[in-house]
Amino acid sequence: MSPTEPQAGGRAAIRLLQGYIWHAQDADVDLEHFLPRELDLPTPPGLAEQESAHVLWDTVNPPFAFFENGDPTASQVFYQFTVLRVYDERPDNTELHEDAAAASQALGPLLDGTPDGVGWQLWEDLREL
């Protein structure tokens, strides 16, 4: 099955956003102070009320050795970052894109409010887990 083709029927857990967040190892940063564990996203008209989107982050090894500017990533703490939502029925990709955009808009100001030195790279994913 292609990630661009919806699967018919049943509950579906879909990644809306995927990426990384990082900061210096010696920085005193607790993401719990800046990011929620759930996001309330709008429910498209005509659909049953959906669960909140879940915001997850887990520490991982740096996914690349150097940043684009040539600085090594070894001095940073990296987190894999995922926003997912469980749907009663898998929506079409247009509705999923709208949810991903809403999640991105909700997270933007929160990510901008993190301390200096916190970086992130997020992108729309829309794959089923």
Side-chain angles (χ1 to χ4, degrees):
M1 178 179 89
S2 164
T4 60
E5 296 176 17
Q7 181 178 352
R11 288 177 56 90
I14 308 291
R15 286 185 197 111
L16 299 174
L17 301 174
Q18 183 78 29
Y20 299 100
I21 297 178
W22 61 88
H23 60 78
Q25 289 180 3
D26 61 356
D28 185 21
V29 175
D30 182 353
L31 295 179
E32 293 281 344
H33 294 289
F34 302 98
L35 300 173
R37 287 296 186 167
E38 293 190 352
L39 288 175
D40 289 326
L41 301 178
T43 299
L47 288 180
E49 189 66 30
Q50 299 293 320
E51 293 181 26
S52 299
H54 303 280
V55 181
L56 311 169
W57 59 87
D58 295 299
T59 307
V60 295
N61 290 327
F64 39 89
F66 297 93
F67 290 106
E68 289 180 10
N69 67 1
D71 290 343
T73 59
S75 65
Q76 304 290 305
V77 176
F78 271 79
Y79 305 88
Q80 183 165 348
F81 186 86
T82 304
V83 176
L84 71 93
R85 193 172 196 186
V86 178
Y87 297 88
D88 289 333
E89 295 278 332
R90 188 187 198 287
D92 66 30
N93 284 342
T94 300
E95 292 164 339
L96 290 174
H97 172 73
E98 290 170 2
D99 277 357
S104 180
Q105 288 176 343
L107 286 171
L110 301 174
L111 290 166
D112 287 339
T114 58
D116 288 342
V118 174
W120 65 89
Q121 180 181 31
L122 302 177
W123 53 89
E124 186 175 282
D125 195 317
L126 307 185
R127 288 183 291 159
E128 201 163 327
L129 293 173

